Amino acid sequence: MNQNNMKKSAFSEWQLTVLVMMAGMGGMYFYPDSFGRWSGLSLAIAIALALISMGMLARCFSLCNSKSFPGLLSELLGFIPAKIILAGAAVYFAAEICRVTVKQTQMTGLFLLEKTPPQIIPAVTLLTVCFIITSGIRQVSRAAELLFPAVAIPLLFILAMGVFSMDYGELLPLFNTDGLPPETLPEWLSPLGGITAAAYFAGYYEKSRLRRCLISGTSALAALCAGVLLCCVGVFSVEGTKHLSFPLTELSRVVSIGNVSLNHRFDILYIMIYNAVTLLSSGILLYCCCISLCGVFSIKSHSVFNFLMLPIMYILSYLSLSDDTVAGFIADRGKLFFLCGLIPVIYITALLKNHRRLRHEKM
């Protein structure tokens, strides 16, 4: 690939950082699933795993010649293992999209479109997502870059107002590590699990600054997750938050400054903005799913699978509206396997191959 082509395909540093954040923000829906069962320790472990994994991923790309994640797998693990892993990754991303779409459908139906049949919302969402990624991931990165201020400012405002309403004594149970169940960690990886998508567009960026982009985006997302956790627990308590389907949305309904109430349907603005985040987050995940399928079937253009996946994704999302146990299990264990299994394996393999190459050059 010549320098001009590389320049056209590369993201800006800010675009790549925002993509990492947007890819994971869809998981912000999943907090209540584990409220009352995890603690501050589980969040710290999840953040540490995410940061270490992104550092390893950046190092893998710097040591290898591949510009794509499927190519990286083939280079390090071999042709057949790469196809098997990519097939599993496609299933994982499909399950992740189902979870995001279902939660978005439930939240929109509960707070915004109460009389709209639940079958309509996921159909419109998934159709829009398919159109979003038609032009490729670079167009998505530009949209994420433009949308980010409109997302960040309201979220930071909600969290800032939540700080004024917090009871800091309610935060103490979060630091109680007694009886932390093993299933806590996969559930806590939900809001951070979207960063697995970073593997699929990291190869488009120049290697010298890749680690900084990946770790910066992951750190910002982790800080946002921690802020939401502290504000929701501080305002609603651990037990109170556990019984809320969408605690961050509920928090947006009770924000106030002094005696001036701002909760008169302020949640509508938040829901509309967050629906846009869902579209981008799902678009990134669908792009990764299509790229995985391209690697499995040795097809160059991901657009072949964009709309072929639409009926499959709709059926899975519709079924998950009544029972998302299977999708949740695949999504939780899939990201745990990715962060704790796959990335360390390819990282060690890349180091060994680089060591052999250096030793061969010295001979």
Side-chain angles (χ1 to χ4, degrees):
M1 182 179 294
N2 60 42
Q3 188 174 358
N4 290 334
N5 288 337
M6 184 62 188
K7 185 177 293 186
K8 289 180 181 179
S9 65
F11 301 114
S12 69
E13 187 171 346
W14 175 241
Q15 285 175 337
L16 182 56
T17 304
V18 171
L19 270 178
V20 174
M21 288 186 280
M22 286 290 189
M25 287 183 71
M28 296 285 285
Y29 287 122
F30 308 141
Y31 282 113
D33 294 345
S34 46
F35 258 67
R37 289 193 288 147
W38 39 241
S39 68
L41 176 62
S42 61
L43 174 59
I45 295 174
I47 291 173
L49 278 176
L51 292 175
I52 293 172
S53 298
M54 290 300 100
M56 289 181 176
L57 179 64
R59 182 60 174 164
C60 288
F61 275 106
S62 68
L63 293 175
C64 299
N65 298 320
S66 300
K67 300 293 189 298
S68 67
F69 187 66
L72 186 70
L73 291 177
S74 296
E75 181 180 347
L76 294 175
L77 302 180
F79 184 74
I80 299 300
K83 286 187 177 293
I84 295 174
I85 292 172
L86 289 172
V91 175
Y92 158 69
F93 284 115
E96 199 74 77
I97 294 168
C98 286
R99 293 191 69 179
V100 172
T101 303
V102 166
K103 291 296 181 180
Q104 185 254 4
T105 299
Q106 292 172 342
M107 187 178 74
T108 304
L110 180 63
F111 293 101
L112 202 61
L113 302 175
E114 299 178 3
K115 297 183 180 180
T116 303
Q119 299 88 348
I120 301 298
I121 299 176
V124 173
T125 299
L126 292 171
L127 184 62
T128 306
V129 167
C130 289
F131 277 108
I132 285 175
I133 66 168
T134 300
S135 300
I137 193 63
R138 288 189 293 279
Q139 297 299 325
V140 175
S141 70
R142 295 188 184 101
E145 183 181 25
L146 294 174
L147 182 64
F148 182 75
V151 174
I153 292 174
L155 279 178
L156 292 176
F157 174 77
I158 293 171
L159 295 180
M161 294 304 99
V163 170
F164 290 102
S165 305
M166 286 174 57
D167 180 357
Y168 292 94
E170 297 289 351
L171 302 179
L172 294 178
L174 292 177
F175 303 97
N176 179 16
T177 59
D178 295 336
L180 186 65
E183 64 271 17
T184 291
L185 185 57
E187 291 180 351
W188 242 117
L189 286 172
S190 291
L192 296 174
I195 62 172
T196 56
Y200 284 76
F201 41 76
Y204 289 106
Y205 193 69
E206 58 181 283
K207 297 178 179 180
S208 60
R209 291 186 290 175
L210 178 59
R211 181 181 284 107
R212 183 169 64 187
C213 294
L214 294 180
I215 292 180
S216 296
T218 304
S219 299
L221 179 61
L224 181 61
C225 292
V228 172
L229 166 65
L230 295 175
C231 285
C232 289
V233 172
V235 173
F236 301 119
S237 78
V238 170
E239 286 300 317
T241 306
K242 180 180 178 181
H243 297 290
L244 295 174
S245 298
F246 304 99
L248 190 55
T249 307
E250 295 291 349
L251 188 64
S252 70
R253 297 162 66 95
V254 299
V255 292
S256 61
I257 303 177
N259 295 324
V260 180
S261 176
L262 299 175
N263 63 346
H264 184 64
R265 300 309 304 184
F266 181 79
D267 57 306
I268 292 179
L269 175 62
Y270 164 75
I271 294 172
M272 293 176 64
I273 291 172
Y274 207 75
N275 279 344
V277 174
T278 299
L279 293 176
L280 283 177
S281 180
S282 298
I284 294 170
L285 296 173
L286 182 57
Y287 171 82
C288 296
C289 181
C290 293
I291 291 297
S292 299
L293 293 174
C294 287
V296 173
F297 296 102
S298 300
I299 297 175
K300 293 184 177 180
S301 176
H302 72 85
S303 59
V304 174
F305 295 102
N306 286 2
F307 291 96
L308 288 178
M309 289 296 296
L310 180 59
I312 298 174
M313 295 306 308
Y314 177 76
I315 293 173
L316 293 176
S317 298
Y318 179 74
L319 294 175
S320 297
L321 281 172
S322 57
D323 184 8
D324 65 345
T325 304
V326 176
F329 181 85
I330 295 173
D332 285 338
R333 272 60 190 179
K335 62 177 66 75
L336 189 62
F337 168 77
F338 191 94
L339 295 177
C340 299
L342 180 60
I343 290 184
V345 167
I346 63 174
Y347 174 71
I348 293 172
T349 306
L351 289 180
L352 292 175
K353 287 194 172 185
N354 183 64
H355 176 71
R356 292 173 185 171
R357 179 181 61 82
L358 293 177
R359 188 173 62 179
H360 180 73
E361 290 176 354
K362 291 179 180 180
M363 294 178 61

